[in-house]
Amino acid sequence: MSADAFPASASIAHIVHLKPGAMPRIGTVDERYQSFNVEMLEVTGGAFWKPYAARDADRQSKPNTTGADSNGSPHAQGNLYQYRPPIDLSNKRLRMLAAALGPSYMRVSGTWANTTYFHDADTPAPKTPPAGFNGVLTRPQWKGVMDFAHAVDARVVTSFAIGAGVRDPQGFWTPTQAGEVLEYTRSIGGSIAAAEFMNEPTLAALGGAPENYDPFTYGRDLAVFVRFIRRHAPDTLVLGPGSVGEDGSAAAPVPGILKSEDLLAAAGPVFDAFSYHFYGALSERCAATMPAFGTTAAGALSSEWLERTADVEKFYARLRDRFEPGRPMWLTETADAACGGNRWASTFLDTFRYVDQLARMARRGVQVVAHNTLAASDYGLLDETSYRPRPSYWAALIWRRLMGTTVLDPGPSPSRDLRLYAHCLRGAPGGVAVLVINTELGAGFAMDIPFAGHRYTLTAKRLQDGDVQLNGRHLLLGVDDALPSLVAVRTRAGTLRFASASITFVALPDAGNPLCA
């Protein structure tokens, strides 16, 4: 694309007049707002969602089979999973790319964390997990998490085992394993910034909870957990409930789900921050068994799809206001679709959702958004084999460079396909950063801005490309994995043009907004 993003002769759907110096303040977000997940299963090694390329190759070479994965997940059937050795958190490229997004939170949790045994010894780990567990986490692996977090300026968020292996004869949850994790973490100079008791209690049956687990049992367990954390790790924030799979609609309820309303009623007001998870759909891997929860690439730029994240946030915000009034909201796990992401999750097409969700949740007052994952399966920001950046990573990097913690109101967006967001410009007192997301495929638009600035426009030749261009130049790692210079196009005061199907950040250091001091 040219500096004008599209030819002057192209059709213009809208003209927007922007007043960045007078944009009012909406609120603020955490300095570590843009965060990421590294699944516990990545740390320990195990069977995780198989990338589509590997699935397709397997289907051509051998017939489909059915069976449980190494962690006994009840929905592990057919060609869904692929074994991975433990992630190499010492990898130089992985650390460099994660550090470029810092400061951040690094959440190490996921479904498999609910039944992972911590081998608190320097002796070799057992070849098979102890009774009541489905995976084993070793001291060196957990130390690797802490070393990685320190190297990339991330603070660790986690959860603990809640399955049969940590329960007494009466079925009560015991903090023995959690205590060993905390003590070892302290002994190596690490810390846990925040913790959820368990991963996704609304899907307790799928997550390894004891049989017939119900809201009463959750409330009883949580009371023990909170007392334990307050006494032994008073600086660790207690997050919860960490629910998923609800939106306030009964049109297609998830089978076997426990309602957050019932969980919160049983728990009482105990959380430091209200956490929840969001996936707009099930990916192709899992949607075959529940077609009502699937989606298609054709809808990936639709208003209905992009606004779904706000609809679910509103549902959980109402529960927060009822049961945990005044607590900040954290979105601790999210991506385009559950079960490893859709086929287009690794392409530029999903970058629209990624960036719009960040901007939309900031407007809604959510304090932290942790993408799932940093580098596993198709929804990773990085390719899981090479650790090379995918399109959404480059958007995340530009967000980190430009979008400050103060959220501004740029005024109404001209259409549901043309969205405007704004924050104070990072590192520039008085400066404003404007985010322009144009999902219209047939027309661009123009915007009048009374200040000179710098523009960063992301486009791709095809929406489902795995490569992305910044102002017409491909973004690639350089020699020795050097990050490329994010070269902006200088813009004059006046009219800027924006292409269809583009994402643009406009930095206005001279906007003079008094709320961005």
Side-chain angles (χ1 to χ4, degrees):
M1 293 291 174
S2 70
D4 282 334
F6 67 109
S9 59
S11 62
I12 299 176
H14 306 278
I15 298 180
V16 178
H17 301 279
L18 211 61
K19 298 180 180 179
M23 290 178 183
R25 175 182 178 274
I26 295 175
T28 60
V29 295
D30 194 293
E31 175 65 17
R32 299 172 186 271
Y33 175 71
Q34 182 180 239
S35 294
F36 57 84
N37 279 256
V38 174
E39 291 272 347
M40 183 68 78
L41 192 73
E42 295 179 71
V43 177
T44 63
F48 194 60
W49 305 110
K50 180 181 289 188
Y52 289 107
R55 282 164 52 86
D56 294 343
D58 279 357
R59 283 172 175 167
Q60 293 177 5
S61 64
K62 60 187 177 182
N64 196 26
T65 59
T66 299
D69 79 311
S70 63
N71 280 330
S73 176
H75 49 60
Q77 296 181 350
N79 199 23
L80 295 181
Y81 288 90
Q82 174 176 289
Y83 177 80
R84 287 130 166 110
I87 187 172
D88 181 9
L89 292 175
S90 67
N91 182 274
K92 181 180 178 181
R93 177 182 289 173
L94 182 64
R95 288 192 171 196
M96 180 273 294
L97 293 172
L101 301 182
S104 58
Y105 289 104
M106 170 188 178
R107 180 174 177 268
V108 182
S109 181
T111 301
W112 293 269
N114 287 344
T115 53
T116 294
Y117 170 75
F118 178 56
H119 181 62
D120 189 25
D122 292 325
T123 56
K127 292 183 178 180
T128 58
F133 295 94
N134 291 316
V136 177
L137 172 68
T138 67
R139 280 182 172 184
Q141 289 168 346
W142 191 243
K143 186 176 187 301
V145 167
M146 291 298 156
D147 290 346
F148 181 85
H150 177 75
V152 306
D153 193 9
R155 301 191 68 196
V156 173
V157 178
T158 193
S159 63
F160 298 98
I162 53 84
V166 292
R167 295 185 178 272
D168 66 15
Q170 289 72 44
F172 287 71
W173 181 83
T174 64
T176 302
Q177 276 274 291
E180 291 175 352
V181 173
L182 288 177
E183 182 57 34
Y184 179 70
T185 301
R186 280 192 290 264
S187 75
I188 59 175
S191 64
I192 295 174
E196 293 165 318
F197 168 58
M198 66 183 291
N199 183 75
E200 298 177 353
T202 47
L203 301 182
L206 287 175
E211 189 176 359
N212 299 320
Y213 199 80
D214 60 14
F216 172 81
T217 309
Y218 173 78
R220 183 189 67 190
D221 289 347
L222 186 64
V224 177
F225 173 73
V226 172
R227 287 196 300 269
F228 165 76
I229 290 292
R230 300 296 187 221
R231 180 176 179 181
H232 297 280
D235 294 331
T236 297
L237 298 176
V238 176
L239 308 181
S243 300
V244 74
E246 301 166 289
D247 63 3
S249 169
V254 177
I257 196 168
L258 299 180
K259 294 182 179 180
S260 288
E261 179 178 12
D262 297 334
L263 296 172
L264 291 162
V270 296
F271 299 118
D272 297 309
F274 188 106
S275 67
Y276 72 103
H277 301 172
F278 170 73
Y279 293 95
L282 294 178
S283 75
E284 175 187 312
R285 296 176 183 85
C286 298
T289 58
M290 290 187 285
F293 294 96
T295 187
T296 65
L301 298 183
S302 69
S303 296
E304 186 277 331
W305 173 252
L306 296 178
E307 291 168 6
R308 195 174 296 182
T309 185
D311 294 338
V312 172
E313 188 278 335
K314 291 173 185 176
F315 169 79
Y316 283 117
R318 287 192 292 269
L319 290 178
R320 184 274 313 269
D321 292 345
R322 179 178 169 189
F323 292 100
E324 297 278 354
R327 298 304 187 191
M329 298 278 287
W330 286 34
L331 176 50
T332 50
E333 184 177 319
T334 189
D336 79 307
C339 304
N342 283 307
R343 288 181 180 271
W344 58 91
S346 60
T347 75
F348 183 58
L349 181 59
D350 189 52
T351 304
F352 290 85
R353 175 212 57 83
Y354 179 83
V355 176
D356 187 79
Q357 183 180 43
L358 283 177
R360 196 181 294 267
M361 292 297 95
R363 282 186 62 95
R364 293 285 306 166
V366 173
Q367 291 299 295
V368 175
V369 175
H371 178 77
N372 200 35
T373 61
L374 176 63
S377 200
D378 295 273
Y379 50 21
L381 295 175
L382 309 174
D383 179 85
E384 67 175 49
T385 302
S386 67
Y387 297 144
R388 290 193 178 277
R390 289 169 169 166
S392 290
Y393 175 85
W394 296 117
L397 183 62
I398 298 173
W399 177 286
R400 179 69 190 100
R401 299 274 180 91
L402 301 181
M403 305 295 274
T405 58
T406 299
V407 186
L408 303 174
D409 184 0
S413 294
S415 77
R416 297 181 71 185
D417 298 319
L418 192 70
R419 297 168 182 83
L420 305 180
Y421 302 98
H423 287 218
C424 290
L425 179 62
R426 188 177 296 276
V432 170
V434 178
L435 171 61
V436 182
I437 301 174
N438 187 5
T439 57
E440 293 192 80
L441 299 180
F445 81 104
M447 183 165 62
D448 287 334
I449 303 179
F451 300 101
H454 302 85
R455 186 177 61 192
Y456 304 78
T457 294
L458 294 173
T459 57
K461 290 183 178 179
R462 291 170 296 274
L463 284 173
Q464 294 192 52
D465 278 354
D467 295 320
V468 66
Q469 298 177 11
L470 174 62
N471 297 326
R473 301 178 63 179
H474 285 285
L475 287 171
L476 299 169
L477 294 177
V479 178
D480 295 327
D481 286 342
L483 285 170
S485 298
L486 300 179
V487 179
V489 171
R490 295 180 62 87
T491 60
R492 301 185 181 93
T495 301
L496 297 184
R497 294 170 176 261
F498 299 87
S500 61
S502 65
I503 299 168
T504 300
F505 297 82
V506 182
L508 302 170
D510 300 322
N513 191 307
L515 301 176
C516 297

